[in-house]
């Protein structure tokens, strides 16, 4: 019987990685450095989740587009993730995955555990094909999430505190023993 179903772009025969990037305060500079330092043809899809003020519009899509030749777009609910693109979480939303598609939900006014939920959902959906990167920020959101990625066989990376504008998010994750590398944003991109 002939196979008439289109292949799933996230099927195990495809080898691209899903790179989840979480940031909070001071994350814009780290994100700019990261995307400016990406190799020419990265083998991945990039998903940026940043703690954002619910009262201000975000210019993150435009900011990142100036740093990379990859297409950068705001995430839309139920969109299937594709390689060689950068996806940015819109304000007032939280992100998880359902059947390999983005699932947006309305966020509370305070972004508690936004990064943990995102990274845990990445780990559940993509396992060993996940790379979680935790950048500059305050608090400890993201620590449990990158631990989940590491336990699922993915790669957990953290911005080095000495290069972070705000160090508590990176510093919270490092002592877990589940972080693969602690590097500058430029080195994380490589």
């Amino acid at each position: 019987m002939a196979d008439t179903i289109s292949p799933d772009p996230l099927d195990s025969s495809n080898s691209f990685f899903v790179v989840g990037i979480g940031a909070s305060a001071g994350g814009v500079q780290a994100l700019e450095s990261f995307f400016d330092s990406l190799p020419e043809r990265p083998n991945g899809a990039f998903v940026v989740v940043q703690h954002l003020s619910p009262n201000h519009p975000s210019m993150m899509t435009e900011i990142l587009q100036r740093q990379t030749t990859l297409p950068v777009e705001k995430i839309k609910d139920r969109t299937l993730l594709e390689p060689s693109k950068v996806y940015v979480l819109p304000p007032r939303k939280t992100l998880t995955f359902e059947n390999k598609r983005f699932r947006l939900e309305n966020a509370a006014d305070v972004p508690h555990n936004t990064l943990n939920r995102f990274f845990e959902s990445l780990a559940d959906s993509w396992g060993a094909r996940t790379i979680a990167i935790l950048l500059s920020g305050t608090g400890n959101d993201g620590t449990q999430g990158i631990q989940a990625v590491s336990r699922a066989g993915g790669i957990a990376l953290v911005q080095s505190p000495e290069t972070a504008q705000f160090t508590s998010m990176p510093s919270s994750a490092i002592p877990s023993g589940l972080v693969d590398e602690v590097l500058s944003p430029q080195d994380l991109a490589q």
Side-chain angles (χ1 to χ4, degrees):
M1 177 188 231
D3 184 16
T4 58
I5 298 173
S6 315
D8 179 354
L10 296 174
D11 182 280
S12 62
S13 63
N14 289 324
S15 60
F16 76 90
F17 285 82
V18 179
V19 182
I21 305 169
S24 184
V28 174
Q29 291 172 337
L31 286 163
E32 286 178 316
S33 293
F34 176 86
F35 282 102
D36 188 48
S37 302
L38 272 181
E40 188 68 30
R41 288 187 171 86
N43 186 29
F46 298 85
V47 184
V48 177
V49 173
Q50 186 180 21
H51 289 163
L52 299 168
S53 168
N55 302 320
H56 297 0
S58 172
M59 298 298 294
M60 185 57 65
T61 304
E62 294 81 3
I63 290 168
L64 295 182
Q65 189 62 77
R66 291 191 296 254
Q67 303 302 319
T68 182
T69 58
L70 297 174
V72 180
E73 59 187 59
K74 282 186 185 161
I75 296 171
K76 295 181 180 90
D77 193 37
R78 306 279 183 195
T79 300
L80 185 65
L81 193 79
E82 296 178 34
S84 301
K85 285 189 177 181
V86 179
Y87 298 93
V88 178
L89 180 70
R92 295 177 294 285
K93 300 290 182 185
T94 60
L95 177 65
T96 56
F97 295 90
E98 184 178 289
N99 298 323
K100 310 288 188 186
R101 293 180 181 274
F102 293 117
R103 184 71 179 112
L104 291 177
E105 297 174 36
N106 291 324
D109 289 341
V110 181
H112 293 295
N113 293 315
T114 302
L115 301 178
N116 282 329
R117 288 186 67 213
F118 164 60
F119 287 142
E120 288 166 355
S121 185
L122 271 178
D124 290 344
S125 296
W126 283 280
R129 289 187 291 150
T130 302
I131 299 172
I133 301 175
L134 189 59
L135 299 176
S136 176
T138 58
N140 64 3
D141 190 16
T143 296
Q144 291 175 343
I146 65 166
Q147 290 171 355
V149 167
S150 183
R151 288 186 186 108
I155 298 171
L157 305 173
V158 175
Q159 180 178 2
S160 58
E162 53 275 358
T163 66
Q165 187 174 355
F166 293 90
T167 62
S168 59
M169 277 182 13
S171 295
S172 172
I174 294 169
S176 72
L178 295 174
V179 173
D180 294 294
E181 294 284 346
V182 179
L183 302 165
S184 70
Q186 297 88 343
D187 291 335
L188 289 170
Q190 298 302 313

